[in-house]
């Protein structure tokens, strides 16, 4: 009779899940002994040893770069809590990932076991179940193993992360034969023609009104999503705006693309969103009106149409975002690529009578870029230079630092050579490092770039040695402070003395830390005189990971932070 650990591993493998990141020990050793080590020249599968905080984000980057699902593993106690920082972002961004943790055996309850996870200790199962009530599965019996795994698979198929809790005591009991893996699941009941009905209502609502399209991050999960977005914008002559990650579902050459909205948003895109009224219809493509997108604003359009391929996506309440709409609200569940193709074809067959928008101007901001003080790199100039350089088919990750607010304001439109991602909904400082590692492990042949801050560095620097040979490129923004916080406090607390901001950081020789971890490291000259040298090193290929420290002026304010109004 097969060991249950092998049965679980085989089930995950049959779903295409072969990558694991984390630290072994305790209740994991008998599972991980069946998993091969990660090999740089392999197929992207195997176990990669990475400290738990970073490991929790690795499956997120792994999925974003490749579309493949990965797993993070941790043993009981603090390790479980550490990987769950990444679990939260996977939930908040609807990213399928597996989080596997063991628990203390039931026979030890009341006997104060090491790293007690029972109700007498951390009570971790209640915590995990509270965060993922529909995606929390205790694997504690051979008899129920197949059923619970099949339920977990269904959640992954709906772009949800899952927690698999290993009760090794329960799994070791031979209380029943293991049932077959495949179980029939009741099919989701769909409307007779959800897309056709939705388009019919859409045709009526847009007549005589301006159409605005808001592109969310879900669109980028379809290979032709960004192209379809452009076709839609052109066919309807519709002003098109996008969220931070929604830019990956748009194209730079979209003639009706008005840019990013809200946090770090472009002035003209924000103006369009704020101008929505009874003379407008808003079409939301997999978008979540979260705080960094809509900033708690309700949508004033006469009608809101919401399309998504994910059921109960984050931001919905009982499956709906109707609570954001002041006017009429319609929603549909369908694959977005199929929906967009049918909507475009329907318009070609019989033109919709919406009011056409003007084409977007080449420059999408009103405010000029602020300059940097002497001795600091001008981040506006650097973002623009890199925007002209990015290698084709690259992946970029923005950490919780000034870059994840400023980059989009400066470059204004997505770049066809690189997809940038920000895990802004959880805003976990330093988490982007783990995501960047996962992205690089998923696609070693692709260039992966991370923008992170000197504050974020403190949360991942202990894991740098493990990834020193990956060829990862990190741009470290060193401004000696928690930049997002300090820039905000200048506006929120203008009458408070700066020492009471509590935002200053002690200096570190960041390059020395990187080099001691096996990396190459250089400081960028404020006048960019060595930038070509550094970019040439990347162009010829890296045998080591590379960190580029950038001296940043914390007072160079570029992208806006409308969230400050809420503080």
């Amino acid at each position: 009779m097969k060991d249950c650990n092998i049965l679980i591993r085989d089930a995950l493998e049959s779903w295409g899940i072969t990558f694991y990141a984390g630290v072994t020990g305790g209740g994991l050793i008998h599972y991980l002994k069946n998993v091969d080590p990660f090999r740089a020249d392999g197929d992207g599968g195997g176990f990669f040893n990475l400290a738990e905080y970073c490991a929790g984000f690795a499956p997120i980057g792994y999925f974003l770069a490749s579309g493949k699902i990965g797993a993070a593993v941790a043993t009981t106690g603090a390790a479980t809590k550490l990987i769950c920082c990444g679990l939260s972002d996977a939930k908040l961004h609807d990213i399928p990932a597996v989080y596997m943790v063991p628990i203390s055996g039931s026979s030890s309850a009341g006997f104060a076991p090491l790293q007690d996870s029972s109700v007498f200790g951390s009570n971790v199962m209640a915590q995990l179940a509270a965060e993922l009530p529909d995606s929390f599965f205790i694997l504690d019996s051979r008899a129920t193993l197949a059923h619970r795994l099949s339920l977990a698979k269904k959640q992954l198929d709906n772009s949800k992360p899952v927690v698999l809790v290993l009760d090794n005591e329960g799994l070791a009991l031979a209380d029943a034969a293991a049932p077959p893996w495949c179980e029939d699941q009741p099919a989701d009941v769909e409307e007779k023609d959800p897309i056709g009905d939705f388009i019919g209502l859409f045709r009526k609502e847009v007549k005589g009104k301006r159409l605005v399209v808001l592109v969310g991050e879900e669109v980028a999960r379809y290979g032709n999503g960004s192209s379809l977005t452009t076709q839609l914008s052109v066919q309807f002559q519709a002003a098109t705006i996008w969220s931070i990650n929604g830019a990956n579902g748009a194209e730079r050459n979209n003639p009706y693309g008005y840019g990013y909205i809200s946090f770090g948003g472009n002035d003209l895109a924000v103006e369009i969103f704020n101008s929505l009224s009874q003379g407008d219809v808003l079409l939301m493509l997999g978008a979540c009106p979260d705080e960094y997108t809509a900033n708690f604003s309700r949508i004033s359009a006469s009608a809101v149409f919401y399309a998504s391929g994910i059921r109960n996506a984050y931001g919905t309440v009982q499956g709906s975002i109707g609570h954001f709409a002041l006017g009429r609200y319609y929603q549909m569940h369908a694959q977005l690529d199929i929906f967009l193709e049918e909507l475009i074809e329907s318009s070609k067959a019989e033109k919709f009578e919406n009011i056409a928008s003007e084409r977007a101007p080449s420059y999408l901001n009103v405010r000029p870029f602020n300059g940097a003080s002497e001795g600091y790199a001008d981040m506006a100039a650097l973002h623009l230079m890199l925007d002209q350089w990015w290698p084709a088919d690259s992946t970029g990750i923005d950490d919780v630092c000034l870059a994840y607010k400023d980059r989009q304001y400066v470059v204004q439109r997505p770049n066809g050579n690189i997809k940038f991602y920000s895990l802004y909904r959880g805003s976990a400082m330093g988490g982007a490092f783990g995501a960047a590692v996962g992205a690089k492990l998923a696609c070693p042949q692709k260039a992966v770039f991370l923008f992170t801050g000197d504050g974020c560095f403190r949360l991942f620097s202990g894991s740098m040695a493990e990834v020193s040979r990956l060829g990862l490129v990190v741009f470290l923004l060193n401004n000696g402070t928690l930049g997002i916080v300090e820039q905000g406090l200048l506006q929120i607390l203008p009458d408070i003395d700066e020492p009471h901001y509590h935002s200053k950081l002690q200096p570190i020789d960041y390059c020395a830390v990187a080099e001691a971890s096996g990396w190459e490291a250089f400081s960028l000259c404020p006048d960019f005189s060595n930038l070509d040298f550094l970019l040439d090193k990347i162009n010829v290929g890296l045998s080591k990971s590379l960190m580029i420290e950038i001296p940043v002026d914390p007072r160079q304010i570029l992208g806006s932070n409308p969230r400050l109004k809420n503080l």
Side-chain angles (χ1 to χ4, degrees):
M1 184 167 60
K2 269 190 177 182
D3 181 277
C4 283
N5 286 303
I6 296 178
L7 291 173
I8 297 167
R9 182 207 62 186
D10 289 350
L12 268 62
E13 189 173 309
S14 73
W15 306 342
I17 302 171
T18 59
F19 169 73
Y20 300 80
V23 179
T24 189
L28 281 177
I29 57 176
H30 292 295
Y31 183 86
L32 290 177
K33 70 184 182 184
N34 305 300
V35 178
D36 292 332
F38 185 91
R39 289 175 46 201
D41 59 348
D43 60 359
F47 175 74
F48 189 85
N49 192 342
L50 188 65
E52 291 95 347
Y53 179 73
C54 297
F57 295 92
I60 297 176
Y62 194 83
F63 176 79
L64 291 174
S66 67
K68 297 183 293 186
I69 301 175
V73 298
T75 190
T76 49
T80 294
K81 295 180 182 291
L82 285 169
I83 66 164
C84 286
C85 296
L87 179 151
S88 295
D89 261 321
K91 171 187 177 177
L92 300 178
H93 288 276
D94 292 307
I95 292 174
V98 173
Y99 292 83
M100 184 180 292
V101 298
I103 54 170
S104 309
S106 57
S107 65
S108 67
F111 289 89
L114 186 68
Q115 299 171 321
D116 186 2
S117 61
S118 73
V119 293
F120 302 103
S122 64
N123 198 18
V124 70
M125 286 192 289
Q127 296 177 48
L128 293 168
E131 183 161 9
L132 293 179
D134 299 319
S135 298
F136 172 77
F137 303 96
I138 303 175
L139 307 182
D140 59 355
S141 166
R142 180 177 290 266
T144 60
L145 185 59
H147 175 64
R148 290 179 183 175
L149 285 172
S150 66
L151 294 176
K153 174 62 163 55
K154 191 173 183 181
Q155 289 295 97
L156 292 170
D157 288 344
N158 189 41
S159 297
K160 302 296 182 184
V162 301
V163 176
L164 301 181
V165 178
L166 300 178
D167 181 342
N168 290 310
E169 256 187 32
L171 290 172
L173 298 175
D175 55 358
W181 289 119
C182 297
E183 294 194 352
D184 293 331
Q185 295 294 322
D188 293 320
V189 178
E190 292 279 13
E191 300 91 341
K192 185 176 180 181
D193 183 12
I195 294 179
D197 293 344
F198 193 71
I199 290 176
L201 293 166
F202 184 72
R203 181 181 290 278
K204 293 178 182 178
E205 288 284 5
V206 300
K207 185 176 181 179
K209 297 185 177 70
R210 178 182 64 159
L211 172 62
V212 176
V213 178
L214 173 55
V215 184
E217 59 191 52
E218 184 186 340
V219 178
R221 301 187 185 185
Y222 300 88
N224 60 345
S226 56
S227 172
L228 288 171
T229 300
T230 299
Q231 292 178 49
L232 175 75
S233 302
V234 172
Q235 183 64 32
F236 282 83
Q237 296 176 281
T240 302
I241 54 181
W242 43 79
S243 65
I244 294 173
N245 295 329
N248 295 315
E251 289 182 318
R252 174 161 290 192
N253 64 355
N254 187 329
Y256 295 92
Y258 278 81
Y260 299 80
I261 64 170
S262 197
F263 186 75
N266 300 116
D267 298 333
L268 297 188
V270 173
E271 182 181 305
I272 284 176
F273 185 76
N274 290 340
S275 71
L276 290 171
S277 68
Q278 287 300 300
D280 303 306
V281 170
L282 179 67
L283 173 60
M284 300 180 63
L285 300 175
C288 166
D290 54 55
E291 186 174 1
Y292 269 10
T293 302
N295 201 37
F296 296 150
S297 298
R298 296 184 69 188
I299 301 168
S300 300
S302 65
V304 173
F305 285 78
Y306 170 66
S308 173
I310 302 173
R311 292 190 179 279
N312 298 308
Y314 175 70
T316 62
V317 175
Q318 296 181 335
S320 168
I321 59 168
H323 53 289
F324 283 100
L326 289 173
R328 292 176 292 281
Y329 174 75
Y330 308 87
Q331 74 174 53
M332 175 200 59
H333 174 261
Q335 283 188 213
L336 292 181
D337 57 346
I338 295 175
F339 163 63
L340 289 173
E341 288 169 354
E342 292 196 19
L343 180 57
I344 293 165
E345 289 304 313
S346 178
S347 176
K348 290 178 179 177
E350 182 183 351
K351 190 173 178 60
F352 286 61
E353 297 179 45
N354 60 288
I355 296 173
S357 295
E358 294 183 1
R359 289 177 172 242
S362 59
Y363 193 74
L364 302 178
N365 295 322
V366 174
R367 294 184 292 116
F369 298 145
N370 290 335
S373 302
E374 185 177 354
Y376 295 102
D378 183 336
M379 289 305 296
L382 179 60
H383 282 304
L384 289 172
M385 285 188 282
L386 291 175
D387 188 58
Q388 297 298 314
W389 172 81
W390 294 123
D393 203 21
S394 299
T395 299
I397 313 283
D398 287 325
D399 213 331
V400 182
C401 65
L402 291 178
Y404 95 143
K405 174 177 68 70
D406 294 346
R407 179 187 53 80
Q408 57 267 36
Y409 186 76
V410 172
V411 301
Q412 304 179 41
R413 291 175 168 90
N415 187 310
N417 283 346
I418 186 169
K419 292 185 181 297
F420 264 99
Y421 300 97
S422 171
L423 304 178
Y424 64 89
R425 291 178 186 161
S427 286
M429 288 177 60
F433 178 83
V437 171
K440 189 65 177 176
L441 294 173
C443 303
Q445 75 283 1
K446 289 186 179 182
V448 176
F449 301 93
L450 167 66
F451 281 86
T452 190
D454 47 356
C456 301
F457 181 88
R458 287 151 165 80
L459 288 131
F460 65 75
S461 53
S463 294
M464 293 179 72
E466 276 67 42
V467 302
S468 61
R469 298 289 175 179
L470 293 186
L472 186 65
V473 179
V474 172
F475 292 96
L476 178 77
L477 278 59
N478 179 7
N479 52 28
T481 185
L482 302 175
I484 292 281
V485 174
E486 182 163 308
Q487 286 191 358
L489 290 178
L490 288 169
Q491 299 181 51
I492 300 169
L493 305 175
D495 300 325
I496 300 298
D497 293 336
E498 282 190 38
H500 287 266
Y501 289 174
H502 311 299
S503 58
K504 296 301 181 185
L505 298 172
Q506 291 299 312
I508 294 175
D509 189 338
Y510 298 103
C511 288
V513 174
E515 289 171 345
S517 301
W519 289 48
E520 287 195 87
F522 298 89
S523 292
L524 178 66
C525 296
D527 62 0
F528 306 130
S529 57
N530 63 341
L531 179 61
D532 287 342
F533 162 76
L534 296 173
L535 299 184
D536 286 344
K537 287 185 69 68
I538 300 169
N539 283 332
V540 300
L542 297 171
S543 59
K544 291 183 178 182
S545 293
L546 171 66
M547 191 182 79
I548 301 172
E549 180 184 3
I550 306 170
V552 175
D553 181 359
R555 299 301 178 93
Q556 185 183 20
I557 299 175
L558 296 171
S560 63
N561 185 356
R563 183 173 186 259
L564 301 180
K565 298 175 184 177
N566 308 325
L567 300 175

